[in-house]
mmCIF file of all heavy atoms in Angstrom:
data_model
loop_
_atom_site.group_PDB
_atom_site.id
_atom_site.type_symbol
_atom_site.label_atom_id
_atom_site.label_comp_id
_atom_site.label_asym_id
_atom_site.label_seq_id
_atom_site.Cartn_x
_atom_site.Cartn_y
_atom_site.Cartn_z
ATOM 1 N N THR A 634 99.989 106.510 122.316
ATOM 2 C CA THR A 634 98.758 107.195 122.444
ATOM 3 C C THR A 634 97.915 107.205 121.218
ATOM 4 O O THR A 634 96.748 107.087 121.157
ATOM 5 C CB THR A 634 98.980 108.625 122.861
ATOM 6 O OG1 THR A 634 99.776 108.675 124.123
ATOM 7 C CG2 THR A 634 97.564 109.296 123.169
ATOM 8 N N PHE A 635 98.711 107.124 119.973
ATOM 9 C CA PHE A 635 97.992 107.273 118.769
ATOM 10 C C PHE A 635 97.641 105.980 118.026
ATOM 11 O O PHE A 635 97.037 105.914 116.959
ATOM 12 C CB PHE A 635 98.875 108.063 117.857
ATOM 13 C CG PHE A 635 99.354 109.424 118.518
ATOM 14 C CD1 PHE A 635 100.577 109.973 118.265
ATOM 15 C CD2 PHE A 635 98.441 110.091 119.326
ATOM 16 C CE1 PHE A 635 100.977 111.177 118.958
ATOM 17 C CE2 PHE A 635 98.876 111.283 120.004
ATOM 18 C CZ PHE A 635 100.230 111.747 119.671
ATOM 19 N N TRP A 636 98.265 104.884 118.555
ATOM 20 C CA TRP A 636 97.939 103.549 117.848
ATOM 21 C C TRP A 636 96.388 103.240 117.810
ATOM 22 O O TRP A 636 96.080 102.607 116.761
ATOM 23 C CB TRP A 636 98.743 102.445 118.572
ATOM 24 C CG TRP A 636 100.214 102.546 118.301
ATOM 25 C CD1 TRP A 636 101.046 103.601 118.493
ATOM 26 C CD2 TRP A 636 101.041 101.458 117.727
ATOM 27 N NE1 TRP A 636 102.281 103.324 118.037
ATOM 28 C CE2 TRP A 636 102.315 101.960 117.608
ATOM 29 C CE3 TRP A 636 100.782 100.201 117.282
ATOM 30 C CZ2 TRP A 636 103.399 101.240 117.042
ATOM 31 C CZ3 TRP A 636 101.855 99.401 117.014
ATOM 32 C CH2 TRP A 636 103.142 99.994 116.790
ATOM 33 N N PRO A 637 95.610 103.590 118.711
ATOM 34 C CA PRO A 637 94.185 103.232 118.502
ATOM 35 C C PRO A 637 93.673 103.762 117.189
ATOM 36 O O PRO A 637 92.698 103.216 116.594
ATOM 37 C CB PRO A 637 93.547 103.769 119.668
ATOM 38 C CG PRO A 637 94.578 103.775 120.791
ATOM 39 C CD PRO A 637 95.860 104.043 120.118
ATOM 40 N N LEU A 638 94.118 105.052 116.819
ATOM 41 C CA LEU A 638 93.696 105.588 115.558
ATOM 42 C C LEU A 638 94.066 104.751 114.368
ATOM 43 O O LEU A 638 93.271 104.519 113.430
ATOM 44 C CB LEU A 638 94.296 107.001 115.449
ATOM 45 C CG LEU A 638 94.049 107.701 114.116
ATOM 46 C CD1 LEU A 638 92.593 107.921 113.726
ATOM 47 C CD2 LEU A 638 94.927 108.973 114.016
ATOM 48 N N PHE A 639 95.313 104.197 114.326
ATOM 49 C CA PHE A 639 95.735 103.465 113.275
ATOM 50 C C PHE A 639 95.040 102.179 113.076
ATOM 51 O O PHE A 639 94.702 101.645 112.113
ATOM 52 C CB PHE A 639 97.250 103.266 113.322
ATOM 53 C CG PHE A 639 98.004 104.670 113.393
ATOM 54 C CD1 PHE A 639 98.895 104.883 114.322
ATOM 55 C CD2 PHE A 639 97.764 105.637 112.387
ATOM 56 C CE1 PHE A 639 99.616 106.040 114.353
ATOM 57 C CE2 PHE A 639 98.431 106.914 112.417
ATOM 58 C CZ PHE A 639 99.399 107.051 113.430
ATOM 59 N N GLU A 640 94.777 101.576 114.289
ATOM 60 C CA GLU A 640 94.037 100.295 114.338
ATOM 61 C C GLU A 640 92.656 100.512 113.807
ATOM 62 O O GLU A 640 92.222 99.673 113.003
ATOM 63 C CB GLU A 640 93.985 99.830 115.836
ATOM 64 C CG GLU A 640 93.230 98.515 115.978
ATOM 65 C CD GLU A 640 93.109 98.030 117.427
ATOM 66 O OE1 GLU A 640 93.538 98.864 118.331
ATOM 67 O OE2 GLU A 640 92.719 96.890 117.614
ATOM 68 N N ALA A 641 92.030 101.684 114.136
ATOM 69 C CA ALA A 641 90.618 101.871 113.803
ATOM 70 C C ALA A 641 90.598 102.178 112.250
ATOM 71 O O ALA A 641 89.677 101.851 111.501
ATOM 72 C CB ALA A 641 89.966 103.006 114.525
ATOM 73 N N ALA A 642 91.532 102.946 111.712
ATOM 74 C CA ALA A 642 91.688 103.368 110.418
ATOM 75 C C ALA A 642 91.772 102.107 109.524
ATOM 76 O O ALA A 642 91.101 101.984 108.428
ATOM 77 C CB ALA A 642 92.775 104.332 110.198
ATOM 78 N N GLU A 643 92.641 101.219 109.914
ATOM 79 C CA GLU A 643 92.887 99.952 109.149
ATOM 80 C C GLU A 643 91.554 99.106 109.159
ATOM 81 O O GLU A 643 91.153 98.623 108.092
ATOM 82 C CB GLU A 643 94.051 99.133 109.621
ATOM 83 C CG GLU A 643 94.374 97.903 108.764
ATOM 84 C CD GLU A 643 95.487 96.959 109.361
ATOM 85 O OE1 GLU A 643 95.207 96.648 110.556
ATOM 86 O OE2 GLU A 643 96.364 96.714 108.646
ATOM 87 N N ALA A 644 91.041 98.970 110.394
ATOM 88 C CA ALA A 644 89.851 98.069 110.562
ATOM 89 C C ALA A 644 88.637 98.505 109.790
ATOM 90 O O ALA A 644 87.872 97.783 109.203
ATOM 91 C CB ALA A 644 89.446 97.925 111.972
ATOM 92 N N THR A 645 88.498 99.860 109.583
ATOM 93 C CA THR A 645 87.293 100.476 108.908
ATOM 94 C C THR A 645 87.746 100.836 107.421
ATOM 95 O O THR A 645 86.952 101.424 106.675
ATOM 96 C CB THR A 645 86.863 101.657 109.558
ATOM 97 O OG1 THR A 645 87.903 102.610 109.741
ATOM 98 C CG2 THR A 645 86.337 101.275 110.934
ATOM 99 N N ASP A 646 88.909 100.496 106.929
ATOM 100 C CA ASP A 646 89.465 100.796 105.674
ATOM 101 C C ASP A 646 89.307 102.379 105.363
ATOM 102 O O ASP A 646 88.736 102.781 104.435
ATOM 103 C CB ASP A 646 88.583 99.953 104.677
ATOM 104 C CG ASP A 646 89.320 99.972 103.144
ATOM 105 O OD1 ASP A 646 90.525 100.249 103.224
ATOM 106 O OD2 ASP A 646 88.605 99.739 102.250
ATOM 107 N N THR A 647 89.685 103.135 106.348
ATOM 108 C CA THR A 647 89.545 104.558 106.200
ATOM 109 C C THR A 647 90.961 105.237 105.931
ATOM 110 O O THR A 647 91.826 105.186 106.791
ATOM 111 C CB THR A 647 88.995 105.218 107.615
ATOM 112 O OG1 THR A 647 87.779 104.540 107.852
ATOM 113 C CG2 THR A 647 88.932 106.767 107.428
ATOM 114 N N PRO A 648 91.124 105.797 104.726
ATOM 115 C CA PRO A 648 92.407 106.415 104.469
ATOM 116 C C PRO A 648 92.683 107.668 105.365
ATOM 117 O O PRO A 648 91.688 108.349 105.712
ATOM 118 C CB PRO A 648 92.311 106.806 103.007
ATOM 119 C CG PRO A 648 91.095 106.042 102.440
ATOM 120 C CD PRO A 648 90.230 105.828 103.636
ATOM 121 N N LEU A 649 93.963 107.821 105.765
ATOM 122 C CA LEU A 649 94.281 109.067 106.531
ATOM 123 C C LEU A 649 95.118 109.984 105.667
ATOM 124 O O LEU A 649 96.060 109.674 105.156
ATOM 125 C CB LEU A 649 95.180 108.550 107.681
ATOM 126 C CG LEU A 649 94.519 107.517 108.764
ATOM 127 C CD1 LEU A 649 95.453 107.198 109.830
ATOM 128 C CD2 LEU A 649 93.183 108.193 109.300
ATOM 129 N N TRP A 650 94.463 111.152 105.573
ATOM 130 C CA TRP A 650 95.326 112.250 104.818
ATOM 131 C C TRP A 650 96.201 112.882 105.859
ATOM 132 O O TRP A 650 95.668 113.373 106.928
ATOM 133 C CB TRP A 650 94.310 113.315 104.274
ATOM 134 C CG TRP A 650 93.783 113.054 102.905
ATOM 135 C CD1 TRP A 650 94.112 113.737 101.798
ATOM 136 C CD2 TRP A 650 92.880 112.033 102.462
ATOM 137 N NE1 TRP A 650 93.531 113.319 100.602
ATOM 138 C CE2 TRP A 650 92.642 112.274 101.050
ATOM 139 C CE3 TRP A 650 92.297 110.953 103.009
ATOM 140 C CZ2 TRP A 650 91.875 111.369 100.212
ATOM 141 C CZ3 TRP A 650 91.440 110.132 102.349
ATOM 142 C CH2 TRP A 650 91.257 110.293 100.958
ATOM 143 N N MET A 651 97.552 112.987 105.618
ATOM 144 C CA MET A 651 98.381 113.500 106.647
ATOM 145 C C MET A 651 98.906 114.908 106.171
ATOM 146 O O MET A 651 99.628 114.898 105.122
ATOM 147 C CB MET A 651 99.647 112.603 106.879
ATOM 148 C CG MET A 651 100.456 113.001 108.029
ATOM 149 S SD MET A 651 101.793 111.789 108.425
ATOM 150 C CE MET A 651 102.853 112.265 106.990
ATOM 151 N N HIS A 652 98.590 115.857 106.878
ATOM 152 C CA HIS A 652 99.121 117.236 106.654
ATOM 153 C C HIS A 652 100.227 117.661 107.590
ATOM 154 O O HIS A 652 100.152 117.256 108.795
ATOM 155 C CB HIS A 652 97.947 118.423 106.775
ATOM 156 C CG HIS A 652 98.268 119.615 106.172
ATOM 157 N ND1 HIS A 652 99.239 120.537 106.761
ATOM 158 C CD2 HIS A 652 97.878 120.257 105.087
ATOM 159 C CE1 HIS A 652 99.214 121.633 106.145
ATOM 160 N NE2 HIS A 652 98.440 121.533 105.122
ATOM 161 N N PRO A 653 101.306 118.285 107.183
ATOM 162 C CA PRO A 653 102.309 118.640 107.994
ATOM 163 C C PRO A 653 101.839 119.622 109.092
ATOM 164 O O PRO A 653 100.881 120.398 108.857
ATOM 165 C CB PRO A 653 103.405 119.226 107.134
ATOM 166 C CG PRO A 653 102.634 119.622 105.856
ATOM 167 C CD PRO A 653 101.502 118.619 105.684
#
Side-chain angles (χ1 to χ4, degrees):
T634 305
F635 310 138
W636 285 54
L638 170 62
F639 303 127
E640 180 180 10
E643 184 189 55
T645 58
D646 196 24
T647 301
L649 300 179
W650 270 250
M651 190 177 74
H652 193 285

